[in-house]
Amino acid sequence: MPPPRRARHARLRDPAGGGDIDDGLVLWFPAPASVTGEDVAEFQVHGGRAVLAALCVAFGRMGLRLAEPGEFTRRAFLNGKLDLTQAEAIADLAAAETEAQRRQALRQLDGALGALYRGWSERLLRLLAHLEAAIDFPDEDLPPRIEREVARDSEALAGEIAAHLADNRRGERLRDAVSIAIVGPPNAGKSSLLNAIVQREAAITSPIAGTTRDVIEVAIDLAGYPVVLADTAGLRESRDAIEQEGLRRALARAAAAELRLFVFDARRPEDAAPAAAWPGATTLLVANKIDLGCGALPAGALAVSALTGEGIAGLLGNLAGRIAADYDCAAPVLTRARHRESLEFALDALRRSHDAKLPELRAEDLRLAWRSLGRITGSTDVEDLLDVIFADFCIGK
Ligand code: GDP
């Protein structure tokens, strides 16, 4: 056996007498100081198909098998090496495609998010213990001081959870993508702008009005941020049923997007008026075709030419700045719908407990809130969740 945690150069031989298999490095991590908390041996070999096949056959004869996707992380979780939010961070790190996604996953792997939720869990448990002690009080009447304290502290906790939930879904947006819809009148150059941004022919441009009838989406890495750009149908009245449907989808997409680029012809500033239908803070006016001339632009409009590329870099810088300000954040943020659901459940239970008439009912609601918080980090009943969570891991993680 090599000494623990020291790489040793070794010749790997088939114990069943099949001869030498490969030449490589061997490492040995005795439990509990290993990634999973169990005994772990690591073989660093030449990655050829025949080498791996021969090793797998030899290991198979020794009773070993390939790990399931996520099995290492799952064992690490079951052995208390990390909590569920950290396990999810490993899946996110493996899937990260942009810098912002990578940074966010690494922060979560550091455990700040889990620590925040565990802190809340512990506070709840203390409140619950106080309340239950008060309920069991030999006297008929509850000591009013304890009741008041529990009410005050659980309201403070509810306030903190509510503030954490009202985060504009920034963590979830950075984990998935920030969606930006390109809207505006027909022929303003929306498809051309999308192409100029992605620098490839992702959308069809054409001089005939109303060619983009459906919504075309392109995922891009914008200065390190994951972004989905959606090109939509031109906003105009039409009798054509397909075009009407395109318009309906364009409006729905624009409403659902985090940011909107309202594109209009720089020579026709009056075309920008419909942009007022969306919130100004998240709707950017883009005056296109400035190579052809420019009228008196509305305040804040960015002048670009999708044709010559003028102003495009400035537009991208502006978008990256907005995304950084609105979605990037060093504080621990919830990154998954799963976290949000558990937090919302906990918050509902806390609020119910405030209105409950009987202390026993109040205690029951506090207990439900505590259990729901525990499901995020995996400290309470999560057996049913594990298969779902570890299903989107890749093999070897
Ligand atoms: P959409 O209907 O808003 O998607 O508009 P398109 O992208 O299809 O563009 C409509 C027409 O305007 C096409 O003929 C484009 O080549 C042209 N166009 C788009 N952007 C510019 C630009 O910046 N300058 C000039 N000169 N023409 C442009």
Side-chain angles (χ1 to χ4, degrees):
M1 291 290 281
R5 289 175 292 280
R6 295 269 290 275
R8 170 173 285 185
H9 178 215
R11 167 76 34 155
L12 304 178
R13 290 199 188 88
D14 186 348
D20 292 2
I21 296 176
D22 194 12
D23 193 70
L25 290 179
V26 182
L27 279 144
W28 167 236
F29 303 89
S34 71
V35 63
T36 60
E38 302 166 345
D39 287 339
V40 172
E42 197 174 298
F43 295 80
Q44 300 186 11
V45 299
H46 298 100
R49 223 183 284 256
V51 171
L52 296 184
L55 277 173
C56 284
V57 168
F59 286 142
R61 263 195 236 109
M62 298 162 67
L64 306 180
R65 63 164 173 83
L66 287 176
E68 309 274 343
E71 190 170 357
F72 287 104
T73 313
R74 186 175 186 146
R75 290 185 182 210
F77 164 69
L78 293 175
N79 289 322
K81 287 279 168 184
L82 32 79
D83 70 30
L84 270 188
T85 65
Q86 291 171 302
E88 286 169 328
I90 290 178
D92 288 351
L93 261 181
E97 288 184 334
T98 69
E99 277 297 284
Q101 288 171 317
R102 183 188 62 71
R103 282 197 308 266
Q104 177 164 285
L106 197 61
R107 279 198 294 268
Q108 190 169 320
L109 183 62
D110 286 341
L113 191 63
L116 176 70
Y117 297 151
R118 262 193 307 283
W120 286 346
S121 258
E122 281 158 20
R123 275 164 64 188
L124 255 180
L125 203 56
R126 211 171 313 126
L127 293 180
L128 192 55
H130 284 179
L131 193 56
E132 284 183 338
I135 291 170
D136 292 339
F137 218 68
D139 241 322
E140 287 294 291
D141 297 318
L142 287 174
R145 186 180 55 83
I146 294 191
E147 280 242 80
R148 269 202 309 276
E149 272 173 25
V150 169
R152 187 197 60 209
D153 292 352
S154 70
E155 264 165 45
L157 187 57
E160 284 174 49
I161 296 177
H164 181 69
L165 277 167
D167 67 346
N168 198 16
R169 295 179 194 257
R170 50 172 65 193
E172 288 150 285
R173 287 281 72 79
L174 271 200
R175 181 174 172 267
D176 301 331
V178 177
S179 111
I180 301 179
I182 304 177
V183 289
N187 253 343
K190 298 180 294 298
S191 307
S192 307
L193 181 68
L194 179 86
N195 285 342
I197 291 176
V198 303
Q199 290 171 342
R200 63 186 169 94
E201 296 287 306
I204 308 147
T205 59
S206 130
I208 306 154
T211 41
T212 310
R213 282 179 172 153
D214 210 330
V215 176
I216 294 171
E217 296 196 324
V218 193
I220 58 167
D221 177 337
L222 198 156
Y225 295 105
V227 163
V228 169
L229 272 177
D231 181 21
T232 64
L235 307 175
R236 69 158 189 188
E237 299 291 328
S238 169
R239 288 177 180 279
D240 181 307
I242 301 174
E243 228 179 276
Q244 281 172 2
E245 174 59 16
L247 178 61
R248 195 192 62 74
R249 291 188 194 182
L251 292 172
R253 195 68 181 72
E258 274 83 49
L259 289 167
R260 280 154 293 273
L261 297 181
F262 188 96
V263 184
F264 60 99
D265 190 320
R267 294 165 298 176
R268 303 168 49 86
E270 65 277 13
D271 282 0
W278 292 287
T282 50
T283 308
L284 207 59
L285 296 178
V286 181
N288 188 34
K289 307 193 188 185
I290 46 162
D291 55 293
L292 297 178
C294 188
L297 296 181
L302 293 174
V304 304
S305 167
L307 188 71
T308 65
E310 189 182 346
I312 300 292
L315 170 64
L316 294 181
N318 188 304
L319 282 176
R322 280 163 188 263
I323 295 171
D326 290 349
Y327 296 97
D328 209 352
C329 134
V333 287
L334 64 133
T335 51
R336 294 192 179 225
R338 184 183 83 79
H339 306 167
R340 183 171 293 281
E341 276 162 26
S342 290
L343 287 167
E344 279 169 350
F345 186 93
L347 185 58
D348 282 349
L350 269 177
R351 287 183 171 151
R352 259 197 325 272
S353 87
H354 300 154
D355 299 333
K357 297 279 179 289
L358 292 172
E360 287 80 0
L361 294 179
R362 228 168 294 151
E364 179 56 18
D365 281 326
L366 289 186
R367 193 172 300 111
L368 288 174
W370 172 74
R371 212 172 279 153
S372 189
L373 278 184
R375 278 169 74 83
I376 310 180
T377 52
S379 63
T380 47
D381 49 317
V382 285
E383 208 36 57
D384 54 317
L385 277 180
L386 296 186
D387 286 337
V388 182
I389 289 174
F390 289 100
D392 40 275
F393 274 69
C394 37
I395 292 174
K397 288 289 173 304

